[in-house]
Amino acid sequence: MPKTPLATPADCCGDSAIRNPQSAIRHAPLAPLADYCDRLLKIHDFRDWEGAANGLQVENRGQVTRIAAAVDATAATVKLAVAAGADLLLVHHGLFWGPSHPWTGKRYELLRLLLDNNLAVYSAHLPLDAHPRLGNNALLCAALGLRRPRPFFFSRERQLGLQVHASITRTDLVERLARVVGRPPIVLPGGPNLCRRIGIVSGGAGAELKLAVEEGVDTFITGEGPHWTFGLAEDFGLNVLYGGHYATETFGVKALAAHLARKYRLPWEFLDHPSGL
């Protein structure tokens, strides 16, 4: 059968169409914009990891004129956002995974960089993985050409991933994933050559192979996992495709930025700062 052309992350998120809107740029008040994101992503419905701090993490002086999106909030991406002229940075991994105080040394430098440049930071972790339209998993599934996804991977009191029934060779699926994430995935070929039930959870879900198997998939796509999962995949009879933690989580922030750009008629830009992991 001829292969169906696959969507790219930019195709899924409307990247090229929205980055430079033709209409005049206008100011959008920060607080209502952040509240809208809270409601859209239902951030208060999630029991996220400690330190995720979903929502508005840093305020600016109250207005947004340009949006930047990045996977991670780090000094490097903050500097890229400042160089891009952004006053709102949307991220998947926010500022507070480690100890958030004292604000000295590098932490002080980061805080001062944000405040001196009037840059607000909004972060959405699990809510942006699981969103049915703007989420990493939904968009990765669509980019792979996998249709009719169903909820999958019950963790932290919610279904965080998606699964599909399909009939795709492992080789074909690996090639699709490589094209979508822009690099060859790491493949643990413990399962069948023909993939019939495929589960997708972006990011670092590799340590939870047992959960994936218990939910009935024969192939599991995620970002990364520890060394010992190689033998475990063989024991479980499970194919595992590691597409990269960073690479599988670029979709959501792009989609959220593009959505806000349309709604508020603001320009936006994706700041690509890959970790290689």
Side-chain angles (χ1 to χ4, degrees):
M1 294 178 61
K3 294 182 178 179
T4 302
L6 299 177
T8 66
D11 294 332
C12 294
C13 304
D15 192 358
S16 59
I18 302 302
R19 180 169 295 161
N20 295 302
Q22 296 300 311
S23 56
I25 297 172
R26 66 178 184 180
H27 295 254
L30 174 65
L33 186 153
D35 288 343
Y36 172 77
C37 290
D38 291 350
R39 297 191 304 273
L40 174 68
L41 301 174
K42 300 181 179 179
I43 66 168
H44 300 299
D45 292 349
F46 285 80
R47 186 175 68 86
D48 212 320
W49 300 99
E50 185 178 357
N54 292 311
L56 188 62
Q57 295 190 338
V58 179
E59 291 182 317
N60 64 12
R61 289 191 284 272
Q63 298 292 326
V64 179
T65 60
R66 179 176 291 270
I67 299 170
V71 174
D72 305 294
T74 65
T77 57
V78 167
K79 290 175 183 176
L80 289 173
V82 169
D87 37 32
L88 173 61
L89 176 61
L90 302 175
V91 297
H92 184 52
H93 302 130
L95 293 163
F96 303 114
W97 294 104
S100 59
H101 61 276
W103 286 88
T104 58
K106 292 296 183 182
R107 296 295 288 177
Y108 168 75
E109 292 176 15
L110 179 56
L111 177 62
R112 177 145 189 184
L113 186 64
L114 290 165
L115 297 182
D116 285 352
N117 291 280
N118 190 40
L119 182 62
V121 178
Y122 186 96
S123 179
H125 185 233
L126 291 184
L128 199 52
D129 285 318
H131 194 274
R133 185 164 50 88
L134 305 177
N136 288 314
N137 295 315
L139 291 170
L140 179 55
C141 190
L144 290 169
L146 302 176
R147 300 179 179 179
R148 295 184 291 277
R150 298 184 300 155
F152 165 70
F153 203 80
F154 188 81
S155 179
R156 306 192 74 79
E157 302 177 359
R158 294 185 68 91
Q159 301 278 11
L160 298 177
L162 295 170
Q163 67 166 306
V164 297
H165 289 271
S167 182
I168 305 171
T169 66
R170 184 173 60 220
T171 299
D172 185 12
L173 188 60
V174 169
E175 290 175 353
R176 292 189 188 195
L177 183 59
R179 291 197 294 274
V180 166
V181 300
R183 71 179 208 182
I186 295 172
V187 181
L188 314 184
N193 290 322
L194 187 63
C195 307
R196 295 186 180 277
R197 289 188 64 180
I198 302 167
I200 296 176
V201 179
S202 65
E208 302 294 339
L209 299 192
K210 185 173 185 292
L211 178 56
V213 169
E214 288 174 346
E215 295 197 30
V217 300
D218 57 44
T219 302
F220 185 44
I221 299 173
T222 187
E224 63 173 335
H227 171 78
W228 50 262
T229 58
F230 178 78
L232 195 62
E234 291 182 326
D235 291 344
F236 284 151
L238 179 70
N239 294 314
V240 181
L241 280 59
Y242 289 140
H245 195 135
Y246 177 91
T248 60
E249 295 193 326
T250 61
F251 299 85
V253 288
K254 288 182 179 181
L256 179 60
H259 176 79
L260 295 175
R262 285 190 293 268
K263 180 175 177 63
Y264 294 99
R265 295 170 55 198
L266 298 172
W268 75 280
E269 181 174 347
F270 177 63
L271 308 174
D272 195 17
H273 190 64
S275 65
L277 300 174

